[in-house]
């Protein structure tokens, strides 16, 4: 029997790119999935978070909700939004999950690592952006004995093309992959606890882009984003 069979899962951020991919996969494993949109549940509002969690009484709470605009998070306004969702919101979700005795699964990022040499293990945290800092702070509220922190990275299929993104930074290395691939790996990891890296083999961002758009233009890493753009955020993936 599947670990998820018959379990109720409350999925915050369920209408986002990752949450939308997770929903059918979780249901296929036999879970009952409740996935309110961010407009319905603001995770930075304690009353709403606790009401939603108490009402559904989930076995597992998955927190995909986050402020993810990395360049804007470097600005004062963006920093406030990142702290509101990624820190305060994550704290409230964790507190609600603990209150109602649910396991918490927190979706973090490979940007908690330094982004220089790659092959990062989970104890090598050194975030280089305000986004990465706030996502790492969101991890602090998880209980390593019963909860699960997933550090990962993904791209949405169709993002590169003649009428979409036509350029890619190079050389940039990653363990990230397409969101549908990462979503399946996450679902298959939900029985675990502690902190894990989820991704595929080390690759260049260029090679990922060329899977969809062979004519993608290669450009040098930018120097005007307000933060040091990573060279290599690839992660050590346990088999």
């Amino acid at each position: 029997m599947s670990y998820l069979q018959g379990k109720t899962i409350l999925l915050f951020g369920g209408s986002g790119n990752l949450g939308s991919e997770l929903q059918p996969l979780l249901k296929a494993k036999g879970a009952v999935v409740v996935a309110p949109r961010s407009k319905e549940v603001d995770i930075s509002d304690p009353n709403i978070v606790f009401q939603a969690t108490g009402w559904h009484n989930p076995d597992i709470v998955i927190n995909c909700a986050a402020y993810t605009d990395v360049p804007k998070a470097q600005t004062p306004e963006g920093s406030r939004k990142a702290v509101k969702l990624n820190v305060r919101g994550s704290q409230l979700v964790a507190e609600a999950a603990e209150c109602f005795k649910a396991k918490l699964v927190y979706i973090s990022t490979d940007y908690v690592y330094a982004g220089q040499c790659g092959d990062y293990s989970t104890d090598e945290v050194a975030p280089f952006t305000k986004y990465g800092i706030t996502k790492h702070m969101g991890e602090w509220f998880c209980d390593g004995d019963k909860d699960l922190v997933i550090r990962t990275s993904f791209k949405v299929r169709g993002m590169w093309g003649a009428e979409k993104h036509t350029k890619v930074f190079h050389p940039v290395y990653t363990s990230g992959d397409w969101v549908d691939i990462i979503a399946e790996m996450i679902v298959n990891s939900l029985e675990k606890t502690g902190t894990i890296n989820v991704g595929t083999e080390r690759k260049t961002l260029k090679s990922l882009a060329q899977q969809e758009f062979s004519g993608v233009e290669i450009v040098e890493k930018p120097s005007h984003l307000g933060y040091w753009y990573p060279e290599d955020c690839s992660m050590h993936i346990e088999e």
Side-chain angles (χ1 to χ4, degrees):
M1 178 183 295
S2 167
Y3 166 71
L4 298 175
Q5 182 68 43
K7 286 185 169 59
T8 298
I9 297 178
L10 178 57
L11 175 59
F12 291 114
S15 60
N17 292 323
L18 179 59
S20 298
E21 293 287 343
L22 288 175
Q23 288 191 55
L25 296 174
L26 294 168
K27 292 175 183 177
K29 294 286 188 179
V32 177
V33 181
V34 181
R37 301 172 64 87
S38 58
K39 292 181 179 179
E40 300 170 325
V41 174
D42 177 359
I43 66 167
S44 67
D45 186 318
N47 292 326
I48 293 176
V49 170
F50 273 79
Q51 286 173 4
T53 309
W55 179 264
H56 297 291
N57 193 27
D59 300 291
I60 302 172
V61 174
I62 302 178
N63 185 11
C64 292
Y67 182 82
T68 60
D69 191 323
V70 180
K72 286 186 178 179
Q74 297 296 118
T75 68
E77 180 183 3
S79 294
R80 288 190 288 270
K81 291 180 179 178
V83 169
K84 180 180 178 181
L85 285 179
N86 301 349
V87 183
R88 178 57 175 159
S90 297
Q91 178 184 5
L92 292 173
V93 171
E95 290 175 350
E98 182 178 14
C99 178
F100 294 100
K101 304 185 185 310
K103 176 179 181 177
L104 173 63
V105 178
Y106 175 76
I107 306 301
S108 190
T109 173
D110 59 353
Y111 271 35
V112 302
Y113 300 120
Q116 297 182 31
C117 58
D119 195 34
Y120 291 107
S121 60
T122 56
D123 62 352
E124 296 182 276
V125 174
F128 58 91
T129 64
K130 291 182 179 179
Y131 162 70
I133 291 169
T134 59
K135 287 298 290 181
H136 182 230
M137 292 175 70
E139 299 180 1
W140 297 357
F141 308 109
C142 299
D143 183 334
D145 292 330
K146 68 178 183 65
D147 297 331
L148 176 61
V149 173
I150 295 177
R151 295 173 180 163
T152 192
S153 177
F154 55 85
K155 300 295 183 184
V156 179
R157 290 190 187 273
M159 68 174 291
W160 279 290
E163 297 181 359
K164 298 182 180 180
H165 292 293
T166 60
K167 300 179 181 180
V168 65
F169 299 139
H170 184 76
V172 175
Y173 293 89
T174 181
S175 293
D177 216 307
W178 303 114
V179 63
D180 55 304
I181 293 174
I182 296 299
E184 186 171 0
M185 298 180 74
I186 287 174
V187 170
N188 292 333
S189 301
L190 292 181
E191 194 169 355
K192 298 179 180 180
T193 58
T195 301
I196 63 172
N197 293 326
V198 169
T200 54
E201 75 287 347
R202 180 177 182 264
K203 66 187 75 63
T204 63
L205 198 59
K206 177 187 75 171
S207 66
L208 198 62
Q210 288 176 334
Q211 289 180 23
E212 290 206 315
F213 182 43
S214 60
V216 67
E217 180 183 351
I218 310 304
V219 296
E220 292 184 358
K221 293 173 295 180
S223 59
H224 58 276
L225 292 178
Y227 64 95
W228 180 82
Y229 196 85
E231 293 180 356
D232 191 344
C233 275
S234 63
M235 302 177 293
H236 180 73
I237 308 296
E238 297 288 347
E239 296 295 334

